[in-house]
C-alpha cells in the first residue's frame, strides 16, 4: 500500500453551498451543437405512483438533473432545461429522501437519446425515509452467456438477494452478460423481482460491437438506461461511471471520457463536504488510464471509496493524490471464474476464483459517512468468510507440486477480502492470540485444482476446465501450530481486521494422530 499526504480542508455548510450552487447552475449555459437538441421536462411528486404527471401533482424544486456532463437544478415549479446529444442520457440525481416512483431497477428509467424528437422526459419521484444506516450488496460480474448460466444465477445468487430484506441497495458492477446482449432484458426482469432498489454498471461484455464509442452502449442503455449517473443514500453520494473505453469493435481499455470527468466536476459541487463519495465502475479505477484526472477533481474530499468488478478475483487497492485517498474494493465475481469447473450437487459449476475466493459478492454496511464490509460466498453461510487449511492431514497435499516444501503443522488462512493492511491473529484451544504472517504462496484449493487439471483428472465429462494459474494469493496468511496442538483434536479461531472497514472471523476443528 502507498499513500500520498492528505490535505486538511475547511468545510462550508451544506445550506450555504446549496444556495451558492442554485445560483450557479440556474445560470448555466450550454453551447449549442448541431448534434444536440434542447429538452425541457419536470421533476414532480408522483403522488399516485402511476408514472405520469397528473395535473394536481406539483413539481419539486432544487433537484439536480444531468445530461451526463452538465448539471442543472429544477426551478420552483420542478422544471429543468438541458441540451442533449445523441447517445447521452438525462436523469435526476436523487437526494437521499427521494426515489423514482416506479420500478426497482432505478437507472433503467433514465432516458437515453438515440435520435432527435424523442420527447422531453418527466421524472416522477416519491418520498422515502432517509436512513443513516443502510446496507448495500456489491455484486460483481454475473456474466451469463446463455440460458443455462442464467439459471445458475437464478438458483444460487437470486435466492440470497430475495431473502435479504435488510438490504437497501443492490449494485451490479457490470458484465451482466457475456456478450449475449439478448439476455439483458431477462436479467432486468429478474432484478425487478428483488425487494431492494437496484442500480447497474456497464461492463466490457455488455457493449454492442460498434466502432463508435457511444454506439457501444445502445443495447445496454435501451434496457438499463444511463451508463453514467449519481444518487444519494444516507450520507453517501454514489457516482457511477462508464470507464470501458472502446478500441474499435472488440478492444477496450480502462479510461474515463472527458464528458464523464466534466460530469463529476459539475456533480461534486452539489455534494456536502461531510458526505462520503463512493465511485463505482466496471474496470478497477486502479487500472484506469486517466484516474489521476478524476482524483484531481476529487481533491479535498479526503477519504473516497471505490467499488469495481472485472477481475474475477477479490482485490483491494489503495492510492491517492494530495487531498484525497482512495480505498478501492475489487468485489470479485458472482459467476466466479466464468461458470466453469466441476459441478456441485445442484449441477452448478464451482468456478473457484484465482486467489482462492469462491463465487461471491460483498455486503457493505454504511453508518453516516463510514462503512464496514464483508465477503459473502454464494451459497455459503454468512459466517463463512475464509478457508482454513491445516497441513499434514490431507494426504493429497503431498502430491501437489504447487505445495512442495510446505511445512506440516501449519494453518494456511485464505481470508476472503484480506489485503496488505489486514491484521490476522489466531488462537488454539482458547489460548493467547498470536499474529499470523502474510505469505506469498498459492491458495491450497487452487493448488489442488491445478494439479487435477495437470493430471488430466479435470475436467470430467460434461464439465469445462477451470484454468487456474500458479499465482500467489493476495489473501493468504500462515500460522504455525504450537507443539501442544500436533496430536489429538484441537480448535483454531481466526480474527482478521483492518482500518478500512474489513472484518472477518472463522474457526475449525482439526485432528492429528
Amino acid at each position: 500500500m502507498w499513500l500520498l499526504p492528505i490535505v486538511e480542508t475547511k468545510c462550508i455548510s451544506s445550506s450555504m453551498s446549496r444556495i451558492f450552487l442554485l445560483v450557479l447552475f440556474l445560470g448555466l449555459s450550454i453551447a449549442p451543437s448541431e448534434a444536440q437538441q434542447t429538452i425541457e421536462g419536470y421533476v414532480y411528486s408522483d403522488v399516485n405512483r402511476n408514472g405520469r404527471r397528473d395535473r394536481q401533482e406539483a413539481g419539486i424544486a432544487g433537484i439536480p438533473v444531468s445530461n451526463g456532463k452538465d448539471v442543472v437544478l429544477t426551478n420552483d415549479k420542478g422544471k429543468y432545461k438541458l441540451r442533449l446529444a445523441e447517445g447521452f442520457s438525462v436523469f435526476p440525481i436523487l437526494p437521499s429522501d427521494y426515489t423514482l416512483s416506479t420500478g426497482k431497477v432505478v437507472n433503467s428509467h433514465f432516458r437515453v437519446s438515440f435520435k432527435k424528437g424523442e420527447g422531453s422526459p418527466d421524472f416522477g419521484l416519491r418520498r422515502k425515509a432517509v436512513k443513516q444506516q443502510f446496507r448495500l450488496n456489491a455484486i460483481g460480474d454475473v456474466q451469463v452467456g446463455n440460458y443455462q448460466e442464467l439459471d445458475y444465477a437464478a438458483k444460487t445468487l437470486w435466492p440470497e438477494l430475495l431473502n435479504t430484506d435488510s438490504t437497501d441497495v443492490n449494485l451490479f458492477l457490470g458484465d451482466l452478460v457475456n456478450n449475449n446482449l439478448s439476455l439483458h432484458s431477462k436479467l432486468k426482469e429478474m432484478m425487478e423481482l428483488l425487494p431492494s432498489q437496484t442500480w447497474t454498471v456497464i461492463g466490457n461484455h455488455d457493449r454492442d460491437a460498434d466502432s463508435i464509442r457511444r454506439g457501444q452502449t445502445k443495447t445496454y442503455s435501451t434496457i438499463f438506461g444511463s451508463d453514467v449517473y449519481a444518487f444519494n443514500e444516507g450520507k453517501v453520494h454514489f457516482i457511477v461511471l462508464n470507464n470501458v473505453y472502446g478500441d474499435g469493435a472488440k478492444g477496450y481499455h480502462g479510461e474515463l471520457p472527458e464528458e464523464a470527468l466534466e460530469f463529476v466536476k459539475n456533480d461534486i459541487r452539489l455534494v456536502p463536504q461531510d458526505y462520503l463519495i463512493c465511485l463505482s465502475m466496471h474496470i478497477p479505477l486502479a487500472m484506469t488510464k486517466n484516474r489521476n484526472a478524476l482524483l484531481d477533481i476529487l481533491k479535498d474530499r479526503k477519504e473516497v471509496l471505490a467499488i469495481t468488478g472485472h477481475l474475477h478475483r477479490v482485490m483491494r487497492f489503495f492510492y491517492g493524490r494530495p487531498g484525497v485517498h482512495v480505498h478501492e474494493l475489487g468485489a470479485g465475481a458472482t459467476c466466479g471464474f466464468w461458470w466453469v469447473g466441476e459441478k456441485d450437487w445442484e449441477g452448478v459449476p464451482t468456478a473457484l476464483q484465482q486467489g482462492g475466493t469462491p463465487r461471491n459478492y460483498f455486503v457493505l454496511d454504511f453508518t453516516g459517512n463510514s462503512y464496514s464490509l464483508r465477503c459473502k460466498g454464494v451459497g455459503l453461510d454468512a459466517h463463512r468468510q475464509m478457508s482454513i487449511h491445516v497441513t499434514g492431514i490431507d494426504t493429497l497435499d503431498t502430491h501437489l507440486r504447487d505445495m512442495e516444501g510446505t511445512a506440516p503443522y501449519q494453518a494456511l488462512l485464505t481470508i476472503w477480502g484480506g489485503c496488505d493492511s489486514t491484521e490476522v491473529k489466531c488462537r488454539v484451544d482458547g489460548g493467547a492470540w498470536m499474529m499470523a504472517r502474510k505469505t506469498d504462496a498459492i491458495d491450497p484449493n487452487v493448488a489442488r485444482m491445478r494439479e487435477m487439471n495437470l493430471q488430466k483428472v479435470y475436467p470430467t465429462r460434461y464439465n469445462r476446465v477451470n484454468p487456474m494459474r500458479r499465482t500467489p494469493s493476495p489473501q493468504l496468511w500462515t500460522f504455525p501450530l504450537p507443539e501442544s496442538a500436533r496430536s489429538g483434536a484441537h480448535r483454531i479461531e481466526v480474527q482478521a481486521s483492518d482500518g478500512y472497514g474489513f472484518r472477518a472471523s472463522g474457526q475449525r476443528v482439526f485432528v492429528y494422530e
Side-chain angles (χ1 to χ4, degrees):
M1 178 179 90
W2 61 275
L3 305 175
L4 288 174
I6 297 175
V7 179
E8 293 293 330
T9 60
K10 195 171 184 178
C11 300
I12 61 174
S13 72
S14 59
S15 58
M16 288 177 61
S17 63
R18 190 168 180 82
I19 293 170
F20 169 76
L21 289 159
L22 181 64
V23 175
L24 173 66
F25 282 98
L26 286 178
L28 181 69
S29 63
I30 303 168
S33 167
E34 186 177 345
Q36 294 179 338
Q37 58 179 316
T38 299
I39 62 167
E40 300 177 0
Y42 289 86
V43 179
Y44 65 96
S45 179
D46 190 4
V47 177
N48 59 11
R49 300 188 185 182
N50 66 355
R52 299 191 307 271
R53 184 171 179 250
D54 300 315
R55 183 174 299 179
Q56 74 278 12
E57 291 177 332
I60 305 174
I63 299 294
V65 182
S66 178
N67 57 9
K69 179 182 178 182
D70 309 294
V71 179
V72 298
L73 293 172
T74 56
N75 66 15
D76 57 357
K77 295 182 179 179
K79 186 177 182 179
Y80 70 89
K81 183 177 181 179
L82 278 167
R83 300 287 294 180
L84 187 64
E86 291 183 21
F88 285 79
S89 57
V90 58
F91 54 89
I93 300 173
L94 296 173
S96 297
D97 56 347
Y98 279 103
T99 189
L100 293 185
S101 61
T102 57
K104 290 289 182 64
V105 186
V106 183
N107 54 290
S108 69
H109 295 272
F110 297 161
R111 188 75 62 85
V112 181
S113 171
F114 292 110
K115 61 182 179 181
K116 287 189 176 182
E118 290 185 298
S120 297
D122 296 336
F123 297 101
L125 308 188
R126 63 174 175 85
R127 286 276 190 180
K128 70 180 183 70
V130 178
K131 293 187 175 182
Q132 293 304 313
Q133 295 182 321
F134 68 94
R135 176 168 290 176
L136 177 143
N137 289 327
I139 304 160
D141 298 58
V142 182
Q143 202 157 343
V144 292
N146 51 52
Y147 277 88
Q148 177 69 78
E149 293 177 352
L150 188 68
D151 187 59
Y152 293 155
K155 69 182 182 181
T156 59
L157 173 61
W158 251 252
E160 298 194 13
L161 303 182
L162 286 166
N163 287 331
T164 51
D165 294 332
S166 61
T167 297
D168 301 283
V169 182
N170 295 312
L171 180 61
F172 285 81
L173 299 168
D175 278 2
L176 307 176
V177 302
N178 194 2
N179 300 321
N180 187 347
L181 304 188
S182 66
L183 294 176
H184 275 149
S185 61
K186 300 303 180 184
L187 271 170
K188 180 177 179 289
E189 290 177 25
M190 291 168 60
M191 291 174 186
E192 288 287 355
L193 299 174
L194 298 176
S196 307
Q197 66 174 347
T198 292
W199 304 83
T200 65
V201 176
I202 190 171
N204 52 288
H205 288 282
D206 295 315
R207 302 173 303 150
D208 296 87
D210 193 311
S211 60
I212 302 173
R213 184 174 184 275
R214 295 308 306 181
Q216 292 181 328
T217 68
K218 185 170 184 178
T219 298
Y220 172 90
S221 295
T222 299
I223 304 299
F224 291 107
S226 181
D227 60 333
V228 174
Y229 56 88
F231 66 96
N232 296 276
E233 190 72 36
K235 295 186 74 172
V236 184
H237 184 73
F238 293 88
I239 303 175
V240 174
L241 301 172
N242 177 3
N243 69 337
V244 182
Y245 205 98
D247 296 326
K250 294 184 178 180
Y252 65 90
H253 64 275
E255 183 176 353
L256 292 162
E258 284 300 318
E259 61 267 17
L261 295 173
E262 283 296 314
F263 168 65
V264 176
K265 186 183 301 183
N266 292 325
D267 169 61
I268 206 73
R269 294 169 181 166
L270 289 169
V271 181
Q273 195 69 26
D274 63 339
Y275 274 42
L276 172 69
I277 302 297
C278 181
L279 304 169
S280 186
M281 58 209 75
H282 180 62
I283 298 174
L285 187 59
M287 301 172 184
T288 297
K289 183 178 178 180
N290 58 342
R291 77 159 187 251
N292 285 342
L294 176 61
L295 299 187
D296 287 341
I297 295 170
L298 295 171
K299 64 182 180 181
D300 302 331
R301 296 306 302 205
K302 298 184 180 178
E303 296 293 327
V304 169
L305 174 65
I307 309 175
T308 52
H310 188 58
L311 297 177
H312 295 261
R313 63 186 301 177
V314 174
M315 297 286 287
R316 290 167 67 198
F317 307 94
F318 301 87
Y319 47 87
R321 302 278 281 176
V324 59
H325 170 245
V326 179
H327 169 209
E328 179 168 15
L329 169 65
T334 51
C335 75
F337 226 43
W338 292 275
W339 300 113
V340 298
E342 300 300 298
K343 294 183 176 68
D344 66 15
W345 66 279
E346 286 190 296
V348 179
T350 51
L352 182 69
Q353 297 174 84
Q354 192 71 51
T357 307
R359 295 192 301 114
N360 80 290
Y361 55 97
F362 268 82
V363 178
L364 289 91
D365 288 296
F366 292 89
T367 301
N369 57 11
S370 63
Y371 59 91
S372 62
L373 59 98
R374 59 181 171 86
C375 182
K376 175 64 182 70
V378 176
L380 300 178
D381 186 272
H383 296 292
R384 182 74 186 276
Q385 299 172 314
M386 62 186 68
S387 298
I388 304 174
H389 182 86
V390 178
T391 63
I393 297 176
D394 188 343
T395 57
L396 183 59
D397 288 355
T398 61
H399 302 286
L400 305 181
R401 66 195 74 187
D402 294 332
M403 292 185 65
E404 286 181 353
T406 302
Y409 306 116
Q410 292 190 84
L412 304 182
L413 315 168
T414 304
I415 312 296
W416 305 335
C419 66
D420 289 346
S421 297
T422 305
E423 289 190 345
V424 178
K425 59 184 181 180
C426 305
R427 69 177 180 180
V428 177
D429 298 332
W433 288 100
M434 301 180 67
M435 301 301 297
R437 179 173 57 87
K438 189 80 166 58
T439 302
D440 187 29
I442 191 170
D443 169 77
N445 293 317
V446 172
R448 182 180 295 110
M449 187 171 294
R450 264 181 44 82
E451 190 65 35
M452 294 297 190
N453 292 343
L454 292 168
Q455 296 286 356
K456 306 298 182 184
V457 176
Y458 292 163
T460 58
R461 194 173 185 182
Y462 306 122
N463 293 314
R464 290 187 294 162
V465 67
N466 187 339
M468 294 279 96
R469 298 183 295 274
R470 194 179 191 280
T471 304
S473 171
Q475 306 171 118
L476 188 66
W477 280 257
T478 60
F479 179 72
L481 299 173
E483 290 284 346
S484 59
R486 297 182 181 184
S487 65
H490 303 276
R491 175 192 181 196
I492 183 171
E493 298 172 83
V494 183
Q495 297 283 348
S497 63
D498 57 50
Y500 298 94
F502 178 74
R503 300 288 184 275
S505 61
Q507 58 183 324
R508 66 160 286 185
V509 168
F510 60 93
V511 183
Y512 283 109
E513 293 182 4

